[in-house]
Structures are given as C-alpha cells and as structure tokens.
Amino acid sequence: MKIDIVTLFPEMFVGPFDQSIISRAMKKKLVEIRIHQLRDWATDKHHLTDDRPFGGGPGMVLKPEPLFGSVERLKTENTKVLLMSPQGSVFKQTKAQSLKEESHIIIVCGRYEGVDQRFIDELVDEEISIGDYVLSGGEPAAIVVVDAIVRLIPGAIGKGESLDNESFNENLLDFPVYTQPAEFRGLKVPEVLLSGHHGEIARWRKNKAEEKTRKVRPELIV
Ligand code: SAM
C-alpha cells in the first residue's frame, strides 16, 4: 500500500511516523508513506498557497492551483483521494478496515479556513473528520487515520499485540484487562481470570464488554 500526504507542515509527521508500528511497517515495506510539501506546487513567484475568501470574512483559504497540481501529479488510476475536514463523515473502525484494502491513498491536510471548494468538487473522493471538534490543521487527523489503517495491514503489528478482542469488533468495546501482580494495594484481580477456566473467562469477558458498551456507547449495540 502507498500513502501520499500533502501538507504545509511535513515536519509534523516526523515523530509519529518514526515510532512503533508505523515505522516498523515502513521498514518491512508493508506500506510506503511519502510526505509532500504543498508549497512545492505553488504557481506564483512568492510561492503563495492561500488567499482571502471571496465574499469577505476572516481567515485564509488554500488556493486551488497547488491543491490541483499536487493531487494531479500524485494520482494514478487506482487512487483514493481523502481530504481531512471537520465537514467530512466521522472516521470509524469500519472505514479504517475498508481503506486498508486500497492500493494507493492521497491524504490532503487542510489549514486556515479550509480549502477552495473547487478542489473538493473535482478531485476529492471523500472528506473525513476524526470527530466533532475543530483542529488547527488536517495533520493530526491524517496521523490518526494512517495509524488506524496501517496497524490493520497483515504483519504490521508485533508479536505482543493482537487485532483480536479489540474495541468495535462485533460492535462491542473491549473488556477490562489486568496483569501482575494479582493483588496491588489491596485491589484484587477478578477471581475468574485466575481460575484457568477458559469457558468462564470468555463468558466473563463478553459480559463485561456488553456492560461497558451499554453504559458508554449504547448505539453500537444493534
Ligand atoms: N473552517 C473550517 C470549518 O469550520 O469547518 C475549519 C477549518 S480548520 C481550522 C483547518 C483544517 O483543519 C481543515 O481544513 C481540516 O483539514 C483540518 N481539520 C479540522 N478539524 C478537523 C477534524 N475534526 N477532522 C479532520 N480534519 C480537521
């Protein structure tokens, strides 16, 4: 899988993509991630990427020329173009799973008041929001989306990690987990988990997952 990210702030990706699962997946060549400076596609002599909004009002808007230039240059026949935007549909685990199947994704990070609508109308396949709040830019959202996709690629997660029993599998949140010591400051690990009885442990975990989901995310239970 290839992921191209178009941004005015490429440095924001250095730390997050340099660590742990994403970095390992890149080293194993499970994913190729390339970060592109939007300004490189600016067409005027001052390399401007934004301008004032037509119709007035505060803030600046990302200009169409560098947006069209970058995406048209990077796009191939099988590319999915995503724009990070609070106006998009909210990113979910099911979306991460379907994006994992794509061979090439371009993620465009907005800034300021947003991007010129003509770019969205002509070249964006999908606008994605990571939640109902407004960020200063699309970069943190792109990092979230890439992380959620890459960890699902077979071979990306390490031996000590697992995609089984995760929140949102089977429309449930995950069950509570405990580790050593079995007693800490008088707080005991539930007896059933020490019993070695796999059937009872599985039942207890399912009950706890349902209890938690009903309490905090009842809409997940269909
Ligand atoms: N004027 C826009 C609005 O009210 O919908 C907000 C623009 S925001 C300050 C700048 C950029 O941050 C957006 O173009 C988008 O790329 C990104 N962004 C902000 N919130 C986001 C969110 N919840 N999910 C994904 N991207 C977001």
Coordinates of all heavy atoms in Angstrom, one line a residue, residues 19 35 53-54 79 130 148 150 157 186:
Q19 N 8.1 6.0 14.8 CA 8.0 5.2 16.0 C 7.1 4.0 15.8 O 6.2 4.0 15.0 CB 7.3 6.0 17.2 CG 7.8 7.4 17.4 CD 9.0 7.4 18.2 OE1 9.3 6.6 19.0 NE2 9.9 8.4 17.9
I35 N 5.6 12.1 2.3 CA 5.1 13.4 2.7 C 5.5 14.4 1.7 O 6.7 14.5 1.4 CB 5.6 13.8 4.1 CG1 5.6 12.6 5.1 CG2 4.9 14.9 4.7 CD1 4.2 12.1 5.5
P53 N -10.8 34.9 1.4 CA -12.0 34.3 0.8 C -12.8 35.2 -0.1 O -13.0 36.4 0.4 CB -12.8 33.8 2.0 CG -12.3 34.6 3.1 CD -10.9 35.0 2.8
F54 N -13.3 34.8 -1.2 CA -14.2 35.6 -2.0 C -15.5 35.8 -1.1 O -15.9 34.8 -0.4 CB -14.6 34.9 -3.3 CG -13.6 35.1 -4.4 CD1 -13.0 34.0 -5.0 CD2 -13.3 36.4 -4.8 CE1 -12.1 34.1 -6.0 CE2 -12.4 36.5 -5.9 CZ -11.8 35.4 -6.5
T79 N -6.2 5.5 -7.3 CA -6.0 6.3 -6.1 C -7.3 6.8 -5.5 O -8.2 7.1 -6.2 CB -5.2 7.6 -6.5 OG1 -4.0 7.2 -7.1 CG2 -4.9 8.4 -5.2
I130 N -12.2 13.4 12.0 CA -11.8 12.5 13.1 C -12.7 12.7 14.3 O -12.5 12.1 15.3 CB -10.3 12.4 13.4 CG1 -9.8 13.8 13.9 CG2 -9.5 11.9 12.3 CD1 -8.5 13.7 14.7
A148 N -4.6 4.2 12.2 CA -5.7 3.2 12.3 C -5.6 2.3 11.1 O -6.0 1.1 11.3 CB -7.0 4.0 12.4
V150 N -2.8 1.5 9.1 CA -1.5 0.7 9.0 C -1.5 -0.4 9.9 O -1.1 -1.5 9.6 CB -0.3 1.7 9.1 CG1 1.0 0.8 9.3 CG2 -0.2 2.6 8.0
I157 N 1.5 -5.4 13.0 CA 1.6 -5.3 14.5 C 2.5 -6.5 15.0 O 2.6 -7.5 14.3 CB 0.3 -5.4 15.2 CG1 -0.5 -6.6 14.9 CG2 -0.6 -4.1 14.9 CD1 -1.6 -6.8 15.9
G186 N -4.1 -3.9 47.9 CA -5.4 -4.5 48.3 C -6.4 -4.7 47.2 O -7.5 -5.2 47.5

